[in-house]
Amino acid sequence: MNILDKEEFKALRENIMFYVFDFFYGFMRVDLQTKIDITESWLNKTEKGQMHHRHWHPNSLLSGVFYLDSVGDTGAIKFITSQYDTLEFGIYDSNIFNSRSWSVLPEIGGLL
């Protein structure tokens, strides 16, 4: 738990915060008076053929995944949103902004 608070992960935390700030203030255009920080961090290890169960982080404004290591064909991570629960539209050109789910193949050092 809270591994990004450990000294050995200090540089990784700073790197991740760079991208969190870029997304939150740059892409989302949130006012600089609003502060954002990492409140929880942990490690998961998945062996070949294993997977993590479908889950949500309802207490989080923003959640992410960083791949420390990835070997060969690990399979995709799938992000699912409930943003469109009340209305659904036919989409002719899917992208990460208009889809209920989106799969990404992980890469070592990838931050999603």
Side-chain angles (χ1 to χ4, degrees):
M1 295 299 294
N2 299 316
I3 59 124
L4 291 176
D5 293 339
K6 298 183 185 303
E7 186 62 31
E8 58 266 36
F9 291 106
K10 182 179 179 181
L12 178 58
R13 181 188 182 91
E14 290 172 357
N15 189 292
I16 289 172
M17 286 305 297
F18 172 84
Y19 290 103
V20 167
F21 289 160
D22 184 54
F23 179 79
F24 193 65
Y25 299 116
F27 182 78
M28 296 299 295
R29 313 303 282 174
V30 175
D31 186 292
L32 294 175
Q33 299 299 318
T34 305
K35 302 300 179 202
I36 189 167
D37 198 9
I38 296 172
T39 58
E40 294 183 36
S41 57
W42 59 90
L43 289 172
N44 286 319
K45 181 178 180 182
T46 306
E47 300 290 344
K48 186 173 184 170
Q50 292 180 327
M51 62 182 277
H52 290 281
H53 64 283
R54 181 175 173 173
H55 65 279
W56 288 263
H57 301 161
N59 62 333
S60 297
L61 176 64
L62 183 63
S63 296
V65 178
F66 178 77
Y67 286 87
L68 290 171
D69 191 13
S70 180
V71 180
D73 181 21
T74 60
I77 182 171
K78 187 173 191 176
F79 294 94
I80 302 167
T81 183
S82 60
Q83 181 177 356
Y84 307 108
D85 278 349
T86 56
L87 297 172
E88 288 190 46
F89 304 98
I91 303 297
Y92 67 88
D93 187 21
S94 297
N95 62 52
I96 64 172
F97 302 109
N98 66 8
S99 299
R100 291 183 55 86
S101 67
W102 198 259
S103 296
V104 179
L105 288 172
E107 297 177 7
I108 295 174
L111 177 62
L112 306 170

